[in-house]
Amino acid sequence: MARLVIVSNRVASPRERAAKAGGLAVALREALSQRGGLWFGWSGETQVGAAAKPKIFRSGRVTYALQDLDPDDQRAHYAGYANGTLWPLCHYRLGSLSFRRSDWEGYRRVNEHFARSLLPLLKPDDIVWVHDYHFIPLAAELRKLGFMGRVGYFHHIPWPTPEVFLSLPSHAALVNDLSHYDLVGLQTEHDVRALLTYISSEARGWIAPAGVVGLRERRFRVAAFPIGIDAEAFVQDAAASVGSEEEARLASSLAGRTLAVGVDRLDYSKGLPNKFAAFGELLKHYPEHRSQVTLMQIAPLSRGEVAEYRALRRELEELGGAINGEYAEFDWVPLRYLNRPFPRATLAAIYRMARLGVVTPLRDGMNLVAKEYVAAQDPRDPGVLILSRFAGAADELTGALMVNPYDAEGMADAFNTALTMPIEERRERWRTNMDRVETNTIHRWCERFIADLSHSVEDFGEAVESRL
Ligand code: GDG
């Protein structure tokens, strides 16, 4: 079995316990432990003129290699091109897109630096799996240095349609970079169509069945691999929360009222102002729910170094304050807004107690919270998932109440429908969602991607032969 090499910006430390690390980190670590492998990424440290030489340590069958970055390069790469350019672009936020040549150059320099640091650690038959938009050029840089082994890329965020993608000055270079992978994985079929349309209409590549692509002299595959969660872990955590001290505290704080929950990183793609506005509309148009329902929004801070995120924080404080100011009673606060993270077991307890799971991103690659909420429900008395049609998860979780996050009044109607939904319909919708969550787990996702990456493009159809 070939050795697995994972590349990601942040590397989950082996000391981080499963309860703290996310499902993705745990699943990747398991895949590495099974096959033996290497996890390569940024050390989290900067150093002027950092040499391309990683710090290496081992834990069990996994080797960790952590690379320092020059502070200017790190800023241009992370806050600059990755989160100031690619993140807004892929989330259809052209008004927030900033493009500076110096960021683009820094982004490329970091990828080149990573490739030089990684290359000496690679064996020719390794399978290299690169994660996310921070590293799109990594395969091209590895190829330049002579690495000919298998390299795959998974894009965790949406891939924009060609009209949007063309706004990026470096669009052609970026897709050329992608062509140096053997396999490009996206979250949904919609994303796959968006990229393939660009390739055939703008880049003059050809497309064959099974997502096989020819672009200049390169042959590679583009396919959808919708990411899942560790469903079993959430089922267990949620079941274990029953009768716990935390559950009792939460229940007594609600005093018999209904709970709705949202859990999102504080990010403008997550549609938090839209969610708050919809909740305000619910209280305005459906006064019967006043004093009856509480929305708990957990929103841990993220990317505070990017100005847009600081502005979002201020906006939410204002909106949340206005709702509470208008509707709170001396014994009831409509909106509980928390800016800090909670352990997974606490989240599971909150999900289970919540009659509504409210997931309303303006765009989202997948959205794992939607799946976690479903997994945590009590099968006898499940809550209702309210889900934005613009989350990748909407393709799979068809039992959700689908909403358009730009329509605050429509969302308020959906809140009301969920709050008054009969138990039979809740169970039926939940079963539809849970079947999917249980089948398409994070472990399946890992296995599928690695299995597909282990095959050469030629295995995916004679179509390639006939075009060569
Ligand atoms: C990107 C894409 C795609 C959140 N707060 C706490 C906490 N979380 C955990 C959730 C969930 C994860 O963070 C968030 O995952 P999402 O999928 O919702 O969103 P992104 O962070 O934007 O992730 C996304 C994902 O990559 C995977 O491919 O689905 O579309 O944007 O697991 O539970 N975890 C704990 N405490 C918190 O307070 N423990």
Side-chain angles (χ1 to χ4, degrees):
M1 206 194 278
R3 187 176 72 143
L4 177 64
V5 177
I6 302 249
V7 180
S8 61
N9 192 47
R10 297 313 299 263
V11 174
S13 138
R15 282 176 290 276
E16 218 167 279
R17 298 217 351 265
K20 189 152 171 272
L24 172 62
V26 174
L28 293 179
R29 199 150 61 200
E30 274 171 25
L32 286 168
S33 305
Q34 275 160 19
R35 313 169 67 102
L38 169 68
W39 196 339
F40 181 90
W42 181 39
S43 62
E45 283 165 32
T46 55
Q47 197 194 114
V48 177
K53 204 163 179 6
K55 292 170 224 160
I56 296 180
F57 62 96
R58 276 186 76 89
S59 171
R61 298 186 68 199
V62 186
T63 303
Y64 291 81
L66 303 179
Q67 176 59 50
D68 292 348
L69 287 173
D70 177 85
D72 289 341
D73 284 356
Q74 195 275 334
R75 198 217 51 79
H77 172 253
Y78 185 79
Y81 194 75
N83 288 315
T85 306
L86 289 179
W87 179 273
L89 177 88
C90 291
H91 290 89
Y92 293 70
R93 297 280 291 213
L94 294 183
S96 307
L97 188 144
S98 87
F99 178 82
R100 283 188 212 91
R101 277 195 191 164
S102 55
D103 289 344
W104 167 237
E105 286 157 10
Y107 178 75
R108 297 209 70 92
R109 261 198 315 279
V110 164
N111 275 275
E112 191 191 330
H113 189 69
F114 263 54
R116 271 192 283 116
S117 168
L118 175 60
L119 186 81
L121 308 177
L122 293 182
K123 300 175 193 154
D125 61 347
D126 281 345
I127 290 185
V128 183
W129 185 3
V130 178
H131 286 259
D132 238 355
Y133 56 101
H134 314 88
F135 295 118
I136 294 176
L138 193 71
E141 294 299 340
L142 285 171
R143 305 290 186 217
K144 268 190 215 158
L145 298 173
F147 183 71
M148 301 310 287
R150 313 205 63 72
V151 192
Y153 169 74
F154 186 75
H155 191 71
H156 286 260
I157 62 177
W159 190 275
T161 53
E163 296 77 9
V164 172
F165 187 55
L166 283 165
S167 318
L168 180 70
S170 47
H171 62 88
L174 217 57
V175 169
N176 187 51
D177 285 333
L178 278 184
S179 73
H180 288 271
Y181 288 96
D182 297 289
L183 176 63
V184 172
L186 303 176
Q187 296 273 24
T188 65
E189 293 296 342
H190 177 272
D191 295 338
V192 168
R193 276 196 302 280
L195 176 55
L196 293 183
T197 307
Y198 171 90
I199 289 173
S200 59
S201 62
E202 287 295 326
R204 302 189 177 275
W206 52 258
I207 318 290
V212 173
V213 171
L215 190 58
R216 287 179 280 280
E217 76 291 356
R218 296 285 313 166
R219 305 287 173 265
F220 62 107
R221 248 187 101 221
V222 178
F225 297 85
I227 195 168
I229 60 160
D230 186 346
E232 217 181 291
F234 261 93
V235 169
Q236 279 169 13
D237 281 352
S241 75
V242 177
S244 68
E245 194 198 319
E246 269 180 332
E247 190 213 32
R249 273 177 62 198
L250 181 57
S252 89
S253 78
L254 290 168
R257 296 184 178 99
T258 303
L259 179 67
V261 69
V263 177
D264 308 83
R265 268 186 314 102
L266 193 83
D267 190 290
Y268 52 79
S269 67
K270 302 291 182 185
L272 288 165
N274 309 60
K275 192 189 298 190
F276 283 14
F279 187 57
E281 292 295 327
L282 174 81
L283 300 177
K284 182 170 161 198
H285 295 293
Y286 297 92
E288 64 273 28
H289 295 306
R290 290 182 200 161
S291 273
Q292 297 303 319
V293 56
T294 293
L295 172 63
M296 180 185 290
Q297 178 62 53
I298 296 176
L301 302 179
S302 77
R303 302 181 195 160
E305 67 275 36
V306 181
E308 191 111 19
Y309 288 73
R310 294 194 297 272
L312 173 67
R313 190 177 174 187
R314 284 194 298 275
E315 183 186 355
L316 286 170
E317 281 161 3
E318 205 169 292
L319 271 170
I323 291 174
N324 281 342
E326 183 157 359
Y327 295 106
E329 293 288 343
F330 64 84
D331 63 346
W332 169 68
V333 179
L335 182 66
R336 296 188 193 176
Y337 175 48
L338 304 100
N339 280 143
R340 65 184 181 85
F342 289 86
R344 192 178 71 188
T346 311
L347 280 192
I350 299 172
Y351 286 148
R352 190 171 181 105
M353 192 162 290
R355 168 61 59 85
L356 269 61
V358 192
V359 179
T360 60
L362 304 177
R363 280 287 154 185
D364 217 327
M366 176 54 61
N367 196 296
L368 298 179
V369 169
K371 296 187 170 183
E372 293 165 1
Y373 174 75
V374 168
Q377 295 309 297
D378 176 354
R380 287 160 306 178
D381 186 20
V384 181
L385 176 65
I386 293 181
L387 181 60
S388 160
R389 57 172 301 171
F390 303 120
D395 281 7
E396 294 180 272
L397 304 181
T398 52
L401 278 182
M402 250 18 119
V403 292
N404 176 349
Y406 295 96
D407 177 6
E409 287 153 318
M411 281 203 283
D413 293 343
F415 276 52
N416 178 57
T417 306
L419 287 166
T420 53
M421 189 179 285
I423 178 80
E424 297 75 30
E425 184 179 349
R426 280 195 273 131
R427 283 196 191 128
E428 210 173 290
R429 286 175 173 274
W430 175 77
R431 192 66 260 170
T432 306
N433 289 338
M434 189 61 178
D435 283 348
R436 187 66 199 175
V437 170
E438 276 176 323
T439 325
N440 182 31
T441 63
I442 185 87
H443 306 289
R444 275 277 179 83
W445 173 81
C446 261
E447 283 160 18
R448 246 194 88 209
F449 191 92
I450 295 168
D452 275 21
L453 180 56
S454 310
H455 287 101
S456 75
V457 170
E458 283 71 18
D459 294 340
F460 283 91
E462 315 79 24
V464 181
E465 313 289 291
S466 63
R467 298 285 198 120
L468 285 175

